[in-house]
Amino acid sequence: MEGEEEDEEPRGPVGKAFRLSAADSLSIGNAVCGFLAVCVLAWSAITQLQVNREFESDPRYFATAVVLLLIGATCDLFDGLVARRFRASAMGAELDNLADVISFGFAPAFMVVAWAGFSHKLPLWIVLAAAVSVLVAGVVRLARFACVKTKSGDFMGLPIPMGAMTVVSIVLLFQPSYLTLLGIFAVAWLMVSRIEYPKPKGNLAAVVLGWIMINVACLVVWAADLSGGDLLIQIGACMQIALVSAIPLRVLMFKREQRKERKETEAAIR
């Protein structure tokens, strides 16, 4: 009996699991940003429905929510770099995934509901289906990332932060319609697809950080209703959508060229 009791005791570095590293603090910051973004959108909807009995998306609230998500994306970008440079805790990977579910799964899904659910332009069930597709695709994407590693070391499927920012771009750029919801479903599909996306390392990570900072600046100008703000936000959203659309096409063309070269090599050997 004593031996059985000993076998049931937890093993491993239990004490160390409760020590948060600097990278863990960034992951928690990411989760907090996602939660605050949802709170901002919920507060906007509740306030307007109480006062006006009708909901109209306020750019200031949506811009605040998007800035919070971009700050969360910056935390997500740096937590891995900090973990590799300094000390990583035993629960670092789990914290990272849980934070990503909140900021880049639940928050953009809730934004879709706030954007189209109160518009009365579309059936509520299809809006909820689009929002659920974003959330489920994000959860599956993160679970697969934890279990499956690609040979090249790149991401399999659209990374969830980029997927969330693409959903946000659709919300900011377009009015609710069946076509825009189809675009959201397409983003959800890309997240669970087998298309490989390059992992941001070195110079690419610096480019991604610069891209995030430019987006934050554009959102601030837009939210402040300054001259040219509408144009800036439209350009940024279009570039985000174009980037996400262009990468799969480039990957497919590259694989097609590889298959063609392989066939030519095999034919030459024969």
Side-chain angles (χ1 to χ4, degrees), residues 122-177:
L122 300 167
L124 181 60
W125 69 268
I126 196 171
V127 175
L128 292 177
V132 167
S133 72
V134 173
L135 176 62
V136 171
V139 171
V140 172
R141 168 73 183 78
L142 290 169
R144 188 175 66 182
F145 174 73
C147 301
V148 180
K149 303 298 179 184
T150 59
K151 293 181 180 179
S152 62
D154 291 332
F155 294 116
M156 181 184 292
L158 179 66
I160 187 172
M162 188 177 289
M165 290 303 108
T166 308
V167 170
V168 167
S169 297
I170 294 173
V171 169
L172 294 179
L173 195 59
F174 303 105
Q175 291 296 318
S177 67

Side-chain angles (χ1 to χ4, degrees), residues 109-248:
F110 188 84
M111 185 176 287
V112 170
V113 175
W115 164 66
F118 301 104
S119 66
H120 305 296
K121 297 178 181 178
L122 300 167
L124 181 60
W125 69 268
I126 196 171
V127 175
L128 292 177
V132 167
S133 72
V134 173
L135 176 62
V136 171
V139 171
V140 172
R141 168 73 183 78
L142 290 169
R144 188 175 66 182
F145 174 73
C147 301
V148 180
K149 303 298 179 184
T150 59
K151 293 181 180 179
S152 62
D154 291 332
F155 294 116
M156 181 184 292
L158 179 66
I160 187 172
M162 188 177 289
M165 290 303 108
T166 308
V167 170
V168 167
S169 297
I170 294 173
V171 169
L172 294 179
L173 195 59
F174 303 105
Q175 291 296 318
S177 67
Y178 288 105
L179 186 60
T180 51
L181 287 186
L182 183 62
I184 290 173
F185 280 116
V187 173
W189 176 81
L190 284 174
M191 283 196 282
V192 295
S193 70
R194 296 188 178 183
I195 299 172
E196 293 186 7
Y197 284 78
K199 185 176 290 189
K201 301 176 182 177
N203 292 335
L204 184 57
V207 171
V208 171
L209 178 62
W211 173 255
I212 291 173
M213 294 299 102
I214 291 172
N215 281 338
V216 170
C218 291
L219 282 163
V220 171
V221 173
W222 175 64
D225 200 22
L226 298 177
S227 177
D230 289 340
L231 180 61
L232 284 175
I233 201 68
Q234 289 173 4
I235 292 174
C238 288
M239 288 178 65
Q240 174 67 28
I241 295 171
L243 178 66
V244 170
S245 304
I247 292 176

Side-chain angles (χ1 to χ4, degrees), residues 51-70:
V51 175
N52 303 326
R53 304 286 182 180
E54 196 171 315
F55 177 78
E56 292 182 4
S57 57
D58 190 330
R60 294 172 299 173
Y61 286 102
F62 272 77
T64 302
V66 177
V67 168
L68 286 166
L69 293 183
L70 287 170

Side-chain angles (χ1 to χ4, degrees), residues 1-29:
M1 294 294 291
E2 291 181 359
E4 292 179 1
E5 290 178 359
E6 289 179 359
D7 289 339
E8 293 177 356
E9 291 181 359
R11 296 181 179 181
V14 177
K16 293 182 180 179
F18 292 99
R19 299 175 186 171
L20 294 177
S21 65
D24 295 337
S25 300
L26 289 172
S27 297
I28 292 172

